[in-house]
Amino acid sequence: MTTLLEFKHVSKQYGSDTKALSNVNFAVNEGEFVSVIGPSGAGKSTLLRCINRMIEASSGEILFDNKNVLAINKKELKRLRTRIGMIFQHYNLVNRLSVFENVLHGRLGYKSTLAGVLGIYTEEEKVKAYGVLQILGLEEQVYKRCDQLSGGQKQRVGIARALIQDPKMLLCDEPIASLDPNASKVIMEHLRNICSTMGITVVVNLHQVDVALKYSDRIIGVNKGTVVYDGTPEGLTKERLHHIYGSELDELLDSNGGLNAG
Ligand code: ADP
């Protein structure tokens, strides 16, 4: 198995007193589906955003394809970001533009500023945009404005925009936190399929433990900025869940002690 991503002693401090990550170490293999779980404020979002440097880690090393992303220059960073697709809780689409135009935005990282500003895309890119929209079941929505879509459809556009980048890895920051259970299931199944059939590594932050258990090859549990679990879904006993969630665990369990769906 080849390691694609590795955190070595990564810490992140905001201001003078908020330690969001403390000495985080873990590795992700190529083609793995990894969920990062933990209570609110644990550092999940910070951890994910340090990978493509949307947030700058304070210390340590983050290796992607054997390169320390914390030490690369601006040009290398632009290239790195084409290889890492990002999916957001609130989709980050341009609402007044069509689905098709939003997907093509995923190619901007490959273009000069001028070609990007002028919206010049090749025929090949347009064919590819249509292809990814088909994979995501959006062929009927291609020319709709994004503000006419449901939340679940918007998130599928977000995934299409990430896929057209030809990424090696997808980072998904709470991709289903704004969606109902049905739309959430559709999104998680697309992500799982993308990982299994295209071999794209997926790292996803999730608040819902039951969802993480169902779809992941591996789970990383974070509490107060440190990794307290790194292992299989099967190995995540109630005791270990308690270690991750502390008193918040009760809210995640139903009256029979099972996990609440959704
Ligand atoms: P999670 O995604 O698990 O909810 P976050 O990574 O968003 O956790 O936050 C981890 C900690 O860092 C929290 O204490 C949060 O308040 C703090 N934090 C996050 N972003 C900032 C920021 N931009 N400035 C200051 N503190 C922040």
Side-chain angles (χ1 to χ4, degrees), residues 14 34 36 43-52 54-55 85-92 155 159 170-179 187-188 191 202-208:
Y14 291 108
V34 176
V36 181
K44 303 182 293 297
S45 183
T46 301
L47 183 154
L48 220 73
R49 286 163 187 251
C50 282
I51 298 169
N52 61 358
M54 287 174 74
I55 289 174
M86 183 95 190
I87 287 148
F88 303 88
Q89 178 181 350
H90 299 295
Y91 328 118
N92 283 23
Q155 194 56 293
I159 297 172
L170 291 183
L171 296 179
C172 315
D173 196 4
E174 299 274 7
I176 56 169
S178 305
L179 302 178
I187 293 302
M188 290 308 297
L191 293 175
V202 174
V203 179
V204 56
N205 277 347
L206 288 169
H207 201 73
Q208 303 85 336

mmCIF file of all heavy atoms in Angstrom, residues 14 34 36 43-52 54-55 85-92 155 159 170-179 187-188 191 202-208:
data_model
loop_
_atom_site.group_PDB
_atom_site.id
_atom_site.type_symbol
_atom_site.label_atom_id
_atom_site.label_comp_id
_atom_site.label_asym_id
_atom_site.label_seq_id
_atom_site.Cartn_x
_atom_site.Cartn_y
_atom_site.Cartn_z
ATOM 1 N N TYR A 14 -4.306 29.070 17.061
ATOM 2 C CA TYR A 14 -4.933 30.322 16.608
ATOM 3 C C TYR A 14 -4.677 31.355 17.685
ATOM 4 O O TYR A 14 -4.990 31.108 18.862
ATOM 5 C CB TYR A 14 -6.447 30.163 16.464
ATOM 6 C CG TYR A 14 -6.910 29.265 15.341
ATOM 7 C CD1 TYR A 14 -7.456 28.007 15.616
ATOM 8 C CD2 TYR A 14 -6.863 29.682 14.015
ATOM 9 C CE1 TYR A 14 -7.921 27.186 14.596
ATOM 10 C CE2 TYR A 14 -7.332 28.859 12.989
ATOM 11 C CZ TYR A 14 -7.855 27.618 13.283
ATOM 12 O OH TYR A 14 -8.321 26.820 12.280
ATOM 13 N N VAL A 34 -11.416 7.706 4.420
ATOM 14 C CA VAL A 34 -11.136 7.965 5.836
ATOM 15 C C VAL A 34 -12.075 9.046 6.369
ATOM 16 O O VAL A 34 -12.223 10.108 5.761
ATOM 17 C CB VAL A 34 -9.669 8.426 6.020
ATOM 18 C CG1 VAL A 34 -9.391 8.780 7.474
ATOM 19 C CG2 VAL A 34 -8.709 7.345 5.544
ATOM 20 N N VAL A 36 -12.979 11.615 9.535
ATOM 21 C CA VAL A 36 -12.482 12.264 10.742
ATOM 22 C C VAL A 36 -13.709 12.644 11.574
ATOM 23 O O VAL A 36 -14.588 13.365 11.094
ATOM 24 C CB VAL A 36 -11.663 13.531 10.400
ATOM 25 C CG1 VAL A 36 -11.126 14.185 11.667
ATOM 26 C CG2 VAL A 36 -10.514 13.189 9.447
ATOM 27 N N GLY A 43 -11.388 20.185 16.249
ATOM 28 C CA GLY A 43 -10.277 20.499 15.348
ATOM 29 C C GLY A 43 -10.387 19.824 13.992
ATOM 30 O O GLY A 43 -9.451 19.876 13.181
ATOM 31 N N LYS A 44 -11.518 19.212 13.704
ATOM 32 C CA LYS A 44 -11.701 18.457 12.450
ATOM 33 C C LYS A 44 -11.513 19.337 11.215
ATOM 34 O O LYS A 44 -10.796 18.991 10.282
ATOM 35 C CB LYS A 44 -13.106 17.824 12.391
ATOM 36 C CG LYS A 44 -13.439 16.918 13.554
ATOM 37 C CD LYS A 44 -14.814 16.289 13.398
ATOM 38 C CE LYS A 44 -15.971 17.271 13.475
ATOM 39 N NZ LYS A 44 -16.116 17.954 14.758
ATOM 40 N N SER A 45 -12.195 20.480 11.235
ATOM 41 C CA SER A 45 -12.133 21.365 10.082
ATOM 42 C C SER A 45 -10.721 21.947 9.917
ATOM 43 O O SER A 45 -10.195 22.037 8.806
ATOM 44 C CB SER A 45 -13.171 22.477 10.267
ATOM 45 O OG SER A 45 -13.172 23.301 9.160
ATOM 46 N N THR A 46 -10.112 22.301 11.025
ATOM 47 C CA THR A 46 -8.737 22.822 10.981
ATOM 48 C C THR A 46 -7.808 21.770 10.376
ATOM 49 O O THR A 46 -6.997 22.079 9.485
ATOM 50 C CB THR A 46 -8.261 23.198 12.403
ATOM 51 O OG1 THR A 46 -9.155 24.183 12.936
ATOM 52 C CG2 THR A 46 -6.847 23.735 12.397
ATOM 53 N N LEU A 47 -7.963 20.539 10.835
ATOM 54 C CA LEU A 47 -7.109 19.444 10.343
ATOM 55 C C LEU A 47 -7.230 19.321 8.819
ATOM 56 O O LEU A 47 -6.230 19.289 8.094
ATOM 57 C CB LEU A 47 -7.537 18.151 11.042
ATOM 58 C CG LEU A 47 -6.764 16.870 10.766
ATOM 59 C CD1 LEU A 47 -6.900 15.932 11.964
ATOM 60 C CD2 LEU A 47 -7.226 16.146 9.535
ATOM 61 N N LEU A 48 -8.468 19.306 8.342
ATOM 62 C CA LEU A 48 -8.685 19.128 6.902
ATOM 63 C C LEU A 48 -8.110 20.299 6.106
ATOM 64 O O LEU A 48 -7.466 20.112 5.076
ATOM 65 C CB LEU A 48 -10.193 19.033 6.649
ATOM 66 C CG LEU A 48 -10.611 18.009 5.627
ATOM 67 C CD1 LEU A 48 -10.447 16.623 6.233
ATOM 68 C CD2 LEU A 48 -12.061 18.215 5.209
ATOM 69 N N ARG A 49 -8.346 21.511 6.595
ATOM 70 C CA ARG A 49 -7.951 22.704 5.841
ATOM 71 C C ARG A 49 -6.452 22.976 5.871
ATOM 72 O O ARG A 49 -5.942 23.735 5.051
ATOM 73 C CB ARG A 49 -8.744 23.926 6.347
ATOM 74 C CG ARG A 49 -10.173 23.869 5.874
ATOM 75 C CD ARG A 49 -11.101 24.782 6.626
ATOM 76 N NE ARG A 49 -12.466 24.516 6.193
ATOM 77 C CZ ARG A 49 -13.190 25.339 5.452
ATOM 78 N NH1 ARG A 49 -12.718 26.516 5.106
ATOM 79 N NH2 ARG A 49 -14.408 25.016 5.069
ATOM 80 N N CYS A 50 -5.753 22.339 6.808
ATOM 81 C CA CYS A 50 -4.280 22.473 6.807
ATOM 82 C C CYS A 50 -3.680 21.715 5.623
ATOM 83 O O CYS A 50 -2.595 22.040 5.150
ATOM 84 C CB CYS A 50 -3.683 21.910 8.097
ATOM 85 S SG CYS A 50 -3.848 23.025 9.493
ATOM 86 N N ILE A 51 -4.395 20.701 5.126
ATOM 87 C CA ILE A 51 -3.826 19.843 4.079
ATOM 88 C C ILE A 51 -3.592 20.622 2.784
ATOM 89 O O ILE A 51 -2.557 20.463 2.142
ATOM 90 C CB ILE A 51 -4.731 18.603 3.845
ATOM 91 C CG1 ILE A 51 -4.821 17.770 5.124
ATOM 92 C CG2 ILE A 51 -4.219 17.757 2.662
ATOM 93 C CD1 ILE A 51 -5.885 16.678 5.095
ATOM 94 N N ASN A 52 -4.557 21.471 2.400
ATOM 95 C CA ASN A 52 -4.333 22.261 1.175
ATOM 96 C C ASN A 52 -4.000 23.727 1.504
ATOM 97 O O ASN A 52 -4.104 24.597 0.657
ATOM 98 C CB ASN A 52 -5.523 22.167 0.224
ATOM 99 C CG ASN A 52 -6.797 22.695 0.827
ATOM 100 O OD1 ASN A 52 -6.799 23.103 1.994
ATOM 101 N ND2 ASN A 52 -7.852 22.712 0.056
ATOM 102 N N MET A 54 -5.489 25.999 3.223
ATOM 103 C CA MET A 54 -6.492 27.041 3.406
ATOM 104 C C MET A 54 -6.277 27.637 4.797
ATOM 105 O O MET A 54 -6.626 28.768 5.075
ATOM 106 C CB MET A 54 -7.901 26.453 3.312
ATOM 107 C CG MET A 54 -8.290 26.081 1.901
ATOM 108 S SD MET A 54 -9.860 25.258 1.876
ATOM 109 C CE MET A 54 -10.957 26.622 2.158
ATOM 110 N N ILE A 55 -5.733 26.786 5.672
ATOM 111 C CA ILE A 55 -5.278 27.234 6.996
ATOM 112 C C ILE A 55 -3.820 26.805 7.106
ATOM 113 O O ILE A 55 -3.464 25.699 6.692
ATOM 114 C CB ILE A 55 -6.126 26.574 8.113
ATOM 115 C CG1 ILE A 55 -7.542 27.172 8.113
ATOM 116 C CG2 ILE A 55 -5.471 26.713 9.474
ATOM 117 C CD1 ILE A 55 -8.505 26.506 9.068
ATOM 118 N N GLY A 85 -9.224 17.989 -4.497
ATOM 119 C CA GLY A 85 -10.544 18.616 -4.639
ATOM 120 C C GLY A 85 -11.127 18.881 -3.262
ATOM 121 O O GLY A 85 -10.924 18.098 -2.334
ATOM 122 N N MET A 86 -11.857 20.007 -3.136
ATOM 123 C CA MET A 86 -12.418 20.356 -1.821
ATOM 124 C C MET A 86 -13.934 20.465 -1.930
ATOM 125 O O MET A 86 -14.446 21.088 -2.863
ATOM 126 C CB MET A 86 -11.791 21.689 -1.383
ATOM 127 C CG MET A 86 -12.212 22.138 -0.021
ATOM 128 S SD MET A 86 -10.998 21.627 1.227
ATOM 129 C CE MET A 86 -11.909 22.014 2.727
ATOM 130 N N ILE A 87 -14.608 19.872 -0.991
ATOM 131 C CA ILE A 87 -16.072 19.928 -0.946
ATOM 132 C C ILE A 87 -16.488 20.529 0.395
ATOM 133 O O ILE A 87 -15.967 20.133 1.442
ATOM 134 C CB ILE A 87 -16.638 18.508 -1.163
ATOM 135 C CG1 ILE A 87 -16.435 18.153 -2.643
ATOM 136 C CG2 ILE A 87 -18.105 18.416 -0.811
ATOM 137 C CD1 ILE A 87 -16.209 16.732 -2.898
ATOM 138 N N PHE A 88 -17.393 21.503 0.321
ATOM 139 C CA PHE A 88 -17.720 22.313 1.498
ATOM 140 C C PHE A 88 -19.154 22.061 1.988
ATOM 141 O O PHE A 88 -20.032 21.722 1.198
ATOM 142 C CB PHE A 88 -17.612 23.801 1.141
ATOM 143 C CG PHE A 88 -16.279 24.220 0.609
ATOM 144 C CD1 PHE A 88 -15.990 24.139 -0.749
ATOM 145 C CD2 PHE A 88 -15.284 24.705 1.460
ATOM 146 C CE1 PHE A 88 -14.762 24.533 -1.257
ATOM 147 C CE2 PHE A 88 -14.045 25.096 0.958
ATOM 148 C CZ PHE A 88 -13.783 25.015 -0.400
ATOM 149 N N GLN A 89 -19.369 22.331 3.252
ATOM 150 C CA GLN A 89 -20.723 22.192 3.798
ATOM 151 C C GLN A 89 -21.730 23.072 3.042
ATOM 152 O O GLN A 89 -22.836 22.641 2.754
ATOM 153 C CB GLN A 89 -20.731 22.561 5.291
ATOM 154 C CG GLN A 89 -22.120 22.490 5.897
ATOM 155 C CD GLN A 89 -22.143 22.889 7.367
ATOM 156 O OE1 GLN A 89 -21.092 23.055 8.012
ATOM 157 N NE2 GLN A 89 -23.326 23.047 7.916
ATOM 158 N N HIS A 90 -21.325 24.307 2.753
ATOM 159 C CA HIS A 90 -22.254 25.238 2.093
ATOM 160 C C HIS A 90 -21.982 25.354 0.591
ATOM 161 O O HIS A 90 -22.287 26.382 -0.011
ATOM 162 C CB HIS A 90 -22.220 26.597 2.795
ATOM 163 C CG HIS A 90 -22.647 26.499 4.234
ATOM 164 N ND1 HIS A 90 -23.918 26.149 4.591
ATOM 165 C CD2 HIS A 90 -21.955 26.632 5.385
ATOM 166 C CE1 HIS A 90 -24.006 26.093 5.909
ATOM 167 N NE2 HIS A 90 -22.821 26.382 6.416
ATOM 168 N N TYR A 91 -21.385 24.340 0.024
ATOM 169 C CA TYR A 91 -21.223 24.129 -1.423
ATOM 170 C C TYR A 91 -20.242 25.086 -2.111
ATOM 171 O O TYR A 91 -19.542 24.695 -3.031
ATOM 172 C CB TYR A 91 -22.579 24.170 -2.162
ATOM 173 C CG TYR A 91 -23.727 23.647 -1.335
ATOM 174 C CD1 TYR A 91 -24.804 24.446 -0.989
ATOM 175 C CD2 TYR A 91 -23.703 22.331 -0.850
ATOM 176 C CE1 TYR A 91 -25.841 23.958 -0.201
ATOM 177 C CE2 TYR A 91 -24.735 21.834 -0.061
ATOM 178 C CZ TYR A 91 -25.794 22.663 0.263
ATOM 179 O OH TYR A 91 -26.797 22.176 1.045
ATOM 180 N N ASN A 92 -20.245 26.387 -1.708
ATOM 181 C CA ASN A 92 -19.359 27.390 -2.327
ATOM 182 C C ASN A 92 -19.517 27.475 -3.845
ATOM 183 O O ASN A 92 -18.520 27.521 -4.572
ATOM 184 C CB ASN A 92 -17.883 27.118 -1.984
ATOM 185 C CG ASN A 92 -17.551 27.567 -0.573
ATOM 186 O OD1 ASN A 92 -18.447 27.671 0.273
ATOM 187 N ND2 ASN A 92 -16.306 27.873 -0.318
ATOM 188 N N GLN A 155 -24.797 20.091 -3.726
ATOM 189 C CA GLN A 155 -23.609 19.373 -3.265
ATOM 190 C C GLN A 155 -23.073 18.453 -4.368
ATOM 191 O O GLN A 155 -21.865 18.277 -4.499
ATOM 192 C CB GLN A 155 -23.900 18.597 -1.968
ATOM 193 C CG GLN A 155 -22.655 18.103 -1.263
ATOM 194 C CD GLN A 155 -21.673 19.233 -0.935
ATOM 195 O OE1 GLN A 155 -21.086 19.856 -1.852
ATOM 196 N NE2 GLN A 155 -21.499 19.529 0.331
ATOM 197 N N ILE A 159 -19.328 18.318 -5.981
ATOM 198 C CA ILE A 159 -18.509 17.122 -6.216
ATOM 199 C C ILE A 159 -18.052 17.077 -7.682
ATOM 200 O O ILE A 159 -16.893 16.758 -7.969
ATOM 201 C CB ILE A 159 -19.287 15.839 -5.844
ATOM 202 C CG1 ILE A 159 -19.612 15.835 -4.342
ATOM 203 C CG2 ILE A 159 -18.485 14.596 -6.204
ATOM 204 C CD1 ILE A 159 -20.546 14.704 -3.902
ATOM 205 N N LEU A 170 -9.976 13.780 -2.455
ATOM 206 C CA LEU A 170 -11.054 14.731 -2.158
ATOM 207 C C LEU A 170 -11.054 15.003 -0.663
ATOM 208 O O LEU A 170 -11.006 14.067 0.148
ATOM 209 C CB LEU A 170 -12.420 14.144 -2.528
ATOM 210 C CG LEU A 170 -12.763 13.923 -3.999
ATOM 211 C CD1 LEU A 170 -14.195 13.409 -4.117
ATOM 212 C CD2 LEU A 170 -12.594 15.204 -4.797
ATOM 213 N N LEU A 171 -11.109 16.287 -0.298
ATOM 214 C CA LEU A 171 -11.283 16.675 1.096
ATOM 215 C C LEU A 171 -12.709 17.181 1.230
ATOM 216 O O LEU A 171 -13.107 18.101 0.508
ATOM 217 C CB LEU A 171 -10.343 17.832 1.459
ATOM 218 C CG LEU A 171 -8.849 17.590 1.413
ATOM 219 C CD1 LEU A 171 -8.098 18.869 1.774
ATOM 220 C CD2 LEU A 171 -8.477 16.468 2.391
ATOM 221 N N CYS A 172 -13.461 16.582 2.111
ATOM 222 C CA CYS A 172 -14.871 16.957 2.235
ATOM 223 C C CYS A 172 -15.123 17.434 3.661
ATOM 224 O O CYS A 172 -15.037 16.659 4.609
ATOM 225 C CB CYS A 172 -15.774 15.775 1.934
ATOM 226 S SG CYS A 172 -15.288 14.836 0.464
ATOM 227 N N ASP A 173 -15.405 18.728 3.795
ATOM 228 C CA ASP A 173 -15.567 19.337 5.117
ATOM 229 C C ASP A 173 -17.050 19.391 5.479
ATOM 230 O O ASP A 173 -17.761 20.277 5.026
ATOM 231 C CB ASP A 173 -14.945 20.742 5.104
ATOM 232 C CG ASP A 173 -14.725 21.271 6.511
ATOM 233 O OD1 ASP A 173 -14.978 20.529 7.481
ATOM 234 O OD2 ASP A 173 -14.305 22.436 6.640
ATOM 235 N N GLU A 174 -17.505 18.448 6.270
ATOM 236 C CA GLU A 174 -18.925 18.340 6.670
ATOM 237 C C GLU A 174 -19.849 18.397 5.451
ATOM 238 O O GLU A 174 -20.748 19.234 5.387
ATOM 239 C CB GLU A 174 -19.284 19.464 7.661
ATOM 240 C CG GLU A 174 -18.503 19.437 8.950
ATOM 241 C CD GLU A 174 -19.120 18.527 10.017
ATOM 242 O OE1 GLU A 174 -20.090 17.811 9.707
ATOM 243 O OE2 GLU A 174 -18.588 18.513 11.130
ATOM 244 N N PRO A 175 -19.668 17.488 4.487
ATOM 245 C CA PRO A 175 -20.425 17.590 3.224
ATOM 246 C C PRO A 175 -21.922 17.372 3.360
ATOM 247 O O PRO A 175 -22.670 17.763 2.471
ATOM 248 C CB PRO A 175 -19.811 16.479 2.359
ATOM 249 C CG PRO A 175 -19.293 15.485 3.346
ATOM 250 C CD PRO A 175 -18.793 16.298 4.502
ATOM 251 N N ILE A 176 -22.365 16.754 4.468
ATOM 252 C CA ILE A 176 -23.805 16.461 4.574
ATOM 253 C C ILE A 176 -24.453 17.179 5.749
ATOM 254 O O ILE A 176 -25.612 16.933 6.059
ATOM 255 C CB ILE A 176 -24.061 14.934 4.674
ATOM 256 C CG1 ILE A 176 -23.299 14.315 5.848
ATOM 257 C CG2 ILE A 176 -23.671 14.240 3.360
ATOM 258 C CD1 ILE A 176 -23.730 12.884 6.146
ATOM 259 N N ALA A 177 -23.730 18.104 6.366
ATOM 260 C CA ALA A 177 -24.254 18.752 7.570
ATOM 261 C C ALA A 177 -25.483 19.611 7.304
ATOM 262 O O ALA A 177 -26.267 19.876 8.210
ATOM 263 C CB ALA A 177 -23.153 19.575 8.238
ATOM 264 N N SER A 178 -25.678 20.069 6.056
ATOM 265 C CA SER A 178 -26.845 20.899 5.759
ATOM 266 C C SER A 178 -27.932 20.133 5.011
ATOM 267 O O SER A 178 -28.856 20.743 4.477
ATOM 268 C CB SER A 178 -26.429 22.100 4.905
ATOM 269 O OG SER A 178 -25.408 22.818 5.534
ATOM 270 N N LEU A 179 -27.797 18.814 4.932
ATOM 271 C CA LEU A 179 -28.722 18.039 4.085
ATOM 272 C C LEU A 179 -29.614 17.118 4.910
ATOM 273 O O LEU A 179 -29.241 16.682 6.000
ATOM 274 C CB LEU A 179 -27.909 17.193 3.091
ATOM 275 C CG LEU A 179 -26.969 17.964 2.157
ATOM 276 C CD1 LEU A 179 -26.195 16.987 1.280
ATOM 277 C CD2 LEU A 179 -27.750 18.959 1.300
ATOM 278 N N ILE A 187 -25.322 11.634 -1.340
ATOM 279 C CA ILE A 187 -23.975 12.225 -1.377
ATOM 280 C C ILE A 187 -22.930 11.220 -0.888
ATOM 281 O O ILE A 187 -21.896 11.019 -1.525
ATOM 282 C CB ILE A 187 -23.921 13.522 -0.522
ATOM 283 C CG1 ILE A 187 -24.790 14.617 -1.154
ATOM 284 C CG2 ILE A 187 -22.481 14.006 -0.327
ATOM 285 C CD1 ILE A 187 -24.448 15.008 -2.563
ATOM 286 N N MET A 188 -23.215 10.555 0.225
ATOM 287 C CA MET A 188 -22.226 9.603 0.762
ATOM 288 C C MET A 188 -22.000 8.448 -0.209
ATOM 289 O O MET A 188 -20.879 7.974 -0.370
ATOM 290 C CB MET A 188 -22.674 9.067 2.130
ATOM 291 C CG MET A 188 -22.621 10.087 3.261
ATOM 292 S SD MET A 188 -21.047 10.955 3.455
ATOM 293 C CE MET A 188 -19.925 9.617 3.848
ATOM 294 N N LEU A 191 -19.721 9.643 -2.940
ATOM 295 C CA LEU A 191 -18.325 9.743 -2.475
ATOM 296 C C LEU A 191 -17.694 8.359 -2.365
ATOM 297 O O LEU A 191 -16.549 8.144 -2.778
ATOM 298 C CB LEU A 191 -18.256 10.481 -1.130
ATOM 299 C CG LEU A 191 -18.639 11.971 -1.163
ATOM 300 C CD1 LEU A 191 -18.654 12.554 0.252
ATOM 301 C CD2 LEU A 191 -17.671 12.766 -2.047
ATOM 302 N N VAL A 202 -10.462 9.570 -0.308
ATOM 303 C CA VAL A 202 -11.431 10.516 0.255
ATOM 304 C C VAL A 202 -11.151 10.699 1.746
ATOM 305 O O VAL A 202 -11.029 9.725 2.485
ATOM 306 C CB VAL A 202 -12.883 10.012 0.047
ATOM 307 C CG1 VAL A 202 -13.881 10.920 0.763
ATOM 308 C CG2 VAL A 202 -13.224 9.920 -1.445
ATOM 309 N N VAL A 203 -11.030 11.957 2.162
ATOM 310 C CA VAL A 203 -10.923 12.278 3.585
ATOM 311 C C VAL A 203 -12.089 13.199 3.908
ATOM 312 O O VAL A 203 -12.248 14.257 3.304
ATOM 313 C CB VAL A 203 -9.581 12.968 3.924
ATOM 314 C CG1 VAL A 203 -9.508 13.304 5.407
ATOM 315 C CG2 VAL A 203 -8.407 12.064 3.542
ATOM 316 N N VAL A 204 -12.937 12.761 4.819
ATOM 317 C CA VAL A 204 -14.177 13.486 5.072
ATOM 318 C C VAL A 204 -14.370 13.749 6.568
ATOM 319 O O VAL A 204 -14.130 12.872 7.387
ATOM 320 C CB VAL A 204 -15.375 12.695 4.455
ATOM 321 C CG1 VAL A 204 -15.459 11.279 4.959
ATOM 322 C CG2 VAL A 204 -16.700 13.395 4.658
ATOM 323 N N ASN A 205 -14.789 14.955 6.904
ATOM 324 C CA ASN A 205 -15.161 15.305 8.276
ATOM 325 C C ASN A 205 -16.624 15.040 8.452
ATOM 326 O O ASN A 205 -17.428 15.529 7.661
ATOM 327 C CB ASN A 205 -15.061 16.825 8.489
ATOM 328 C CG ASN A 205 -13.681 17.254 8.797
ATOM 329 O OD1 ASN A 205 -12.847 16.430 9.084
ATOM 330 N ND2 ASN A 205 -13.461 18.547 8.740
ATOM 331 N N LEU A 206 -16.971 14.304 9.478
ATOM 332 C CA LEU A 206 -18.390 14.007 9.681
ATOM 333 C C LEU A 206 -18.772 14.214 11.129
ATOM 334 O O LEU A 206 -17.993 13.918 12.040
ATOM 335 C CB LEU A 206 -18.665 12.544 9.318
ATOM 336 C CG LEU A 206 -18.639 12.192 7.824
ATOM 337 C CD1 LEU A 206 -18.659 10.678 7.660
ATOM 338 C CD2 LEU A 206 -19.825 12.824 7.090
ATOM 339 N N HIS A 207 -19.967 14.689 11.322
ATOM 340 C CA HIS A 207 -20.482 14.801 12.684
ATOM 341 C C HIS A 207 -21.253 13.531 13.049
ATOM 342 O O HIS A 207 -21.360 13.180 14.210
ATOM 343 C CB HIS A 207 -21.358 16.050 12.793
ATOM 344 C CG HIS A 207 -21.508 16.494 14.202
ATOM 345 N ND1 HIS A 207 -20.472 17.093 14.895
ATOM 346 C CD2 HIS A 207 -22.527 16.380 15.070
ATOM 347 C CE1 HIS A 207 -20.883 17.340 16.132
ATOM 348 N NE2 HIS A 207 -22.125 16.911 16.259
ATOM 349 N N GLN A 208 -21.789 12.846 12.010
ATOM 350 C CA GLN A 208 -22.647 11.677 12.248
ATOM 351 C C GLN A 208 -21.818 10.407 12.319
ATOM 352 O O GLN A 208 -21.325 9.914 11.321
ATOM 353 C CB GLN A 208 -23.665 11.523 11.101
ATOM 354 C CG GLN A 208 -24.535 12.731 10.875
ATOM 355 C CD GLN A 208 -23.874 13.779 9.978
ATOM 356 O OE1 GLN A 208 -22.657 13.857 9.861
ATOM 357 N NE2 GLN A 208 -24.687 14.606 9.385
#
